[in-house]
Amino acid sequence: MIITIDPSAQSEERAQLMALLCRLTGNQHPIATTSMGNREVIALDASSLDGETTTLLKQQSAVEQLTLLKTPYQLVSREFQSEDTHIVIGAVHQSTTVTLGGNNDPVIMAGPCAIETQDQLMTIARAVKRAGGKVIRGGAFKPRTSPYQFQGLGLEGLRMLSQAREETGLPIITEVMEPAMVDAVAEHADILQIGTRNAQNFPLLRAAGQHPAKLPVLLKRGLSQTLDEWLLAAEYIVASGNPNVILCERGIRSYDPQTRNVLDLSCVPLLRQLTHLPVIVDPSHATGRRALVPIMSRAAIAAEAHGLIIETHIDPDTALCDGKQSITPEQLTQIIHETQALTRLMRESAYALSNA
Ligand code: PEP
Ligand code: MN
């Protein structure tokens, strides 16, 4: 259930509503208000509330509207908000801004899996800009499967990323792995990335949602997450106060080691029905193979993804992390060119069909 608060409600009327909600839910659920566009709302699990209770809630003067949804996720659902969410990237740390979602051009994010040196990052960042990329990626805190692998440069890496933004003017995305690091990462990042291994780290999701800057959060799909679980993870962030969530399909675990993961492209059009949040695709982690990245990028755009995030390296074979799936700046240039051509073609054919 979603309660939309009447904007003209006085503080006593709101307090009365909150007290009633706490009583009705037996103080067992967190009751918090969050902003969605220009509305202030409270979402809660209404499964234990009967018809009489719902009527009582409707009668509260602070309540403008009650929306009853059948899905477990609420605020992120398309049923609640029919318009696409548009996410402005880069507004907080004053880089060039870019808007992702809705009918905007697909946004291409690219850069190394891990930041290795300032030189490496700057060379790639310049190449990403030249190729037409709009956001620079780079991991400073790396969630590695083995404790003996390169773990990333940490805070030093974040400072290098900030310098890359300063020089190129492009916003940056980087991963945050633990709640206690959200503030430190948010000081530098334009987008907070939550990785597949942390997709259900609920304290981290809450911390990213509660950060006052409301930086966009890129939420990767968990290794074996269902769409409902994924959307509920996004719901944690939105219900904690941050509506700026971007979903990222990065492949799910299956049985065949030929590809690193299985790219579930059908989730893109399906998510566009289920949620108003934008969806992008990571063809690098999804396939684990450099040769497959260009064609799966095309496929993702054809499936109407709102963007791509692609691992790119000047010399992929020497990369400290994920070199096999990293492409060169030349390949990135080609992919961006194809993405633009494909987008034009899809718009023209949609226009032709609507006028036929
Ligand atoms: C990454 O982007 O480098 C990364 C670790 O991604 P994922 O969480 O999808 O594995
Ligand atoms: Mn990687």
Side-chain angles (χ1 to χ4, degrees), residues 113 137 142 285 311 322 325:
C113 174
R137 67 149 286 153
K142 295 302 305 173
H285 295 85
E311 287 187 340
D322 287 348
Q325 65 197 35

Side-chain angles (χ1 to χ4, degrees), residues 164-217:
R165 171 180 48 223
E166 216 163 282
E167 193 192 302
T168 60
L170 295 184
I172 56 183
I173 174 168
T174 196
E175 179 159 357
V176 56
M177 295 205 301
E178 48 185 316
M181 291 304 289
V182 168
D183 284 349
V185 177
E187 260 179 52
H188 296 270
D190 296 290
I191 306 176
L192 298 172
Q193 177 175 324
I194 296 187
T196 193
R197 296 159 184 83
N198 269 318
Q200 282 182 303
N201 178 339
F202 302 116
L204 179 61
L205 298 171
R206 274 216 188 87
Q210 285 166 352
H211 190 273
K214 296 188 200 297
L215 283 170
V217 179

Side-chain angles (χ1 to χ4, degrees), residues 158-170:
L158 292 182
R159 286 190 276 272
M160 293 177 182
L161 265 179
S162 278
Q163 275 204 289
R165 171 180 48 223
E166 216 163 282
E167 193 192 302
T168 60
L170 295 184

